[in-house]
Structures are given as C-alpha cells and as structure tokens.
Amino acid sequence: MDGVAAAVPFAGGGASGKDTLGEGPCWGTDRPCFHVMPRLGWMNDPNGPFYHEGRYHIFYQQVTSGTSWDFGIVWGHAVSTDLVHWEHLPPALSPTPGSPDADGCFSGCCAVDHLTGLPTILYTGVRLRSNVAPGPMPPPEADLNLEFIESQCAAVAEVGDNKLISWRKLAHPFIPLPPAHMPLTGWRDPFIFEKGGPGKEWTMLIGSGIKGAGGAVMVYKSMALTAGWRYTGMLCIGDEQETGCMWECPLLVKLSSTTNAKQGQHGRSSHPHSLTGTGQPSWMHWDWDDMFPEDHNLEPKESPMASCSGRGGCSQEGCQYFFCVSPDAPTNPVLYWLGDYVGGRFLMEGAKGPYRLDLGNILYAPNIMEDVQGRCILWGWLQERPRMDTHSYTPDYAGCLGVPRVLTVVDGKLIQEPIPEIAQLRRGVCWHEMHVHIFPDEPNPLKYLGGGALDIEIELERGESVAAGLLLQSWLPDGAGTAVILVNWDCGTLEVIQRPSGFGSFDLFGDSDRVGGAIDIKPGEPLELRILIDHSCVEVFCGGGEVLSTRVYRGIPPIGADAGIDFVAYGGFARLARVMAFEMNPIWKSDIQPPIDRDGDWINEDQYGKA
C-alpha cells in the first residue's frame, strides 16, 4: 500500500480518544445504534415529524407485541433537541376499543392548530370489517370493500405537556368516510401540505387510487384543522401499469432550486435513475371533470407552505415542487417527481419523473418536516430483509428509520444528503489516508477501527479498474452475508452485491443477489461516497445526490475484531484520493419509556424506576 496513513484522536461527539478497539458502546450486538427505532418490536412508517418549542418529534408505526406487522398498531414516539441525540417516549396513540381506530392507528401527520396553539395529530384510524363493536358498516356508496374501514381521525396534545406525551383523541373522525360513488382503491395517510391561518385555508392530501386507472392523491381544504374539511378534487392520477394502483403516504413540498450550489459531484442536471427510458411515463388519459367538483377553482393561487419552503419562501421561478408517493406495497420503490403545482393540481404532464427516491430495496413510506433552520428533512422507513443467521439468532426488533436526509434541488436535480449534525456521533480516533492505490487481489483493509457502527467518507478514482468499492466481510461462521459495495465505471452504476456464503468470488455481471442503479459519474473526476454502516443497516450517499439503502447481515462483531472492511478493485487498479473513517456513538439518551416485555406490555414504573 502506498500513500499517507494516520489514525488520530477525534474530539467530536463526546469522544475522549481513550477508547480501545472493541470497547465501544455499539459492540456486542447487531442492533443499529445510531438510527431511530423502538426498543422492542416491529416498526414501519415514520409519522408526523415536526419541530415544536425547542424539540423535534418523530412518531412511527409500531407493533409492540412482536416483530411482524399486525393490526393494533400504535404510534411510537421519540424526541430530540438536535436531530442527533434521542429519547424514547411512550406511544402517542393506541387503538381505542369500540372506536373507528379500534384495530389500528395508521399513518398521518402533525401540525400546530393556529386557533388553539396546540399540536394536533391527523391520522387514519382503521377497524376490521369483522369488528362489529364500532358500529354499522359504511353505506354502500362510501364502502370501499376493503378488509378494514378507514376514517380520518385526530388527537390534540394536552395543554402544558412540553414533551407531548399525552394526547386527547377527538370523539369523532374529522372526516368519517370517503366521497360517495368513487371507485377508490384506498383512502389513508393524511398529509398537511399548506398551513391554515387567519383567513387562510388548510390544504390536506390523502393517498388513494382509482380502480382501473392508477394511484391518485385526493385534495381536501378547510378553514379549521379538525373540522369542516371538503373534498376539492384530485391532485393527480397515475398509470396503474407504470406506477401502481394505490399511492400511500403522499408528500408534496416546495423546494428552493439553485444552480451549482456547491462544489463536488452535486449540481448535475441528469436523472439516471428514472423508471423509463425517457424519464417520462405514458400517463393514462382521464376525464378531469369527473374527478373535480363543479366549484373547483383551477386558477393558480399562492398559499403558504406547511414545511420545507425555506425561510421567507421563494419565487415560483426559483422553486421546484417535490411530489413523492409510496406505491402499492413496501416491496416497491418509492417514486418522486419534480414539477409545478398550479390551481390545486400537480402538473404531471410537464413534470420530471418518476424517479426512484432510493436505489436500494428497503426504503418505504418517507415523511418530511421543516427544521429550525428551514431545511427540508426527509425520514424513511428502512425495512428488514431475510436474514442469514436465523438458525442461531432471533432478534427482538424489526425495522428502523434512515438517517435524516436534507433535500435540495440543484440544476433541476434532487440532491439528498445526510444531515451534517450526524458527525457529532463520531468517536475515538479518525483513520484517514490519501493517494492510495488499490490493486486487484490485494485488498486494502480499513485499519485501527472496529465494530459494526461506522461513518466512512471516500473519494474514489477509477484508475484502470472496471469496478471498485468496499468489501464487507461477514462475521458468521460460514461467511454468509459477505457483500461488496461496488461502483461499476463502465455501467455507471452503484450496487451492493451479496453472496449466500463466504465461498467463491463475486459475479460482477451475473444474477447474484444485487441491488442498485445508475448514478452520476463524471469521467476523469473522483467519485465522492459517504457510507454509513450501522450493523445490518447500510446507507451509501453519492456526491451526485443519489442514495442506496439496504441490509447486509454480517452477524455480531466479536469483541476486539476489526471493522471487517477492505477496499477492493476489479479489472485493474483504482485509487483512493482520500478516505476518512470513524466509529460511531449511539443516539439514545437515558430513556423515560418503561421497558416492554416480550408480550408487548409496559413494565410497571415501580419495577423500572421513575425518570
């Protein structure tokens, strides 16, 4: 190995520089430690992220009694003052027997009611069709004939509750049923798009779909947050064959658009990860008059953004609307478009997209918020994948949230980056090298660091290689779970390729277990990558704004083991212009949530101790 290498103490994140290899707080487990997740049980969609009176709140779908999705789902809750260090709180919402949410508190949003000044949760409550306790079935004209009945419900924070631990549900849904005589595939996941105020209406989106047509998003308006909502038409409708029949968790936000805002890989104008060859779908023609009430006003009107609009807003010429949906099921990629919003409609005809929000196979149901700096922050659910080690290990958790991402638009392209504050979690020593050649069959190990929680920044140059990247060695006995994070220069792709066992070599072009897609690679320029590895959770942020999230189950790192990571090249030498790597601290402060036992019951405070 040539180049310059060093391992120096790092003063960030409360590190002392005194830690020795194998003694970090994230050792001895395969549980992610710097990603938000419940203490036990299943989790899925992030819900209602928002900032209020000095604290960030994130809610999420949680099943406390097991590690699989089930009805009876609650709203888990965590709180932070800096988006980095978090505390668990008790669930904010749980099903109420005999009510419209008797069998689950599904996804939604949170906003501060301008009339009361109180945070208010809007969510979809569900009752199973087989559950007769909540009352009669909907009338036939408003019955979607699903397994469950959906209603839009609300809960209001208690006055004086600074951490928003207690919520009071409204006695009745604020919208009990969908519009009559509409062939909808679903009706859930409310999202506040435009804030109300004195003399101004609230605008809310609800995920849906039109049978025989495609996924759709419905628009509702009201002068009050918890009453008086009226359906005003469809935001847009997709093509069932291309983008699915049910659009869950719709998001729409106005982002500031800049040109060449920063140096490096950002600022590209291409979108290499579109779903079609042209980047434009063939949208099904639809009679819009059938979808909009007669009094719907199609004239453009300006409204204040509920979130992520930037301080002071921005002119129409300097903005792009980011529209995002999660189609049909978590096995599908999340899709987004960049375009215009005019007269209550997102204009699909001229929009760029659909594009995959993430090049991996685990992100679904994202949500967004505006932070105190005016940044648009995106949260996503990172699912589990089939594990390699279930014969010897049964985890008591399933799922986590991705690292918060900052969204911007540069030269007409969406840029996703991890929040800079995540660097506060770096601990111990910083290992760094410069100008390092990587030769085929001579992997260069990541030195001086260990464990399963790492933050790695690299600038990778092609040299004469066909492909180059990082090899993640498995700690399992048979090597199952070994994977490579690979940049293929000729194909212009970033992939994570896994093999079922540690034996044999990686097939760079075959039918291996692989996930990824096209990224922006400029010939002759180094490629910037930020790799966040949190045990099984792997997130790769590219300098061009793309992200790949996936799971790599390598097992539990033995105490004292190194990181098990090598830099590799194929077909010729590659070059590391620069590399920095850090071990990471956990995000959790002392919890005030009582522990949960295996049956999902809250353990008595006398057993646990008071906060």
Side-chain angles (χ1 to χ4, degrees), residues 274 276 279-281 283 336-338 351-355:
S274 61
T276 63
Q280 294 292 337
W283 298 107
Y336 77 91
W337 292 256
L338 295 175
K352 299 177 182 178
Y355 305 121

Side-chain angles (χ1 to χ4, degrees), residues 72-101:
I73 203 158
V74 307
W75 272 43
H77 187 190
V79 65
S80 170
T81 58
D82 59 6
L83 284 175
V84 179
H85 304 95
W86 293 84
E87 296 180 27
H88 285 117
L89 296 179
L93 299 176
S94 299
T96 300
S99 77
D101 72 0

Side-chain angles (χ1 to χ4, degrees), residues 1-2 436-444 567-570 572-574:
M1 178 189 299
D2 56 3
V436 178
H437 281 76
I438 311 168
F439 295 97
D441 303 320
E442 296 182 21
N444 291 335
F567 298 100
V568 293
Y570 301 90
F573 78 88

Side-chain angles (χ1 to χ4, degrees), residues 88-128:
H88 285 117
L89 296 179
L93 299 176
S94 299
T96 300
S99 77
D101 72 0
D103 294 300
C105 301
F106 278 18
S107 291
C109 62
C110 190
V112 177
D113 191 332
H114 67 282
L115 297 177
T116 64
L118 295 175
T120 300
I121 290 174
L122 307 181
Y123 68 103
T124 300
V126 299
R127 52 169 289 201
L128 288 168

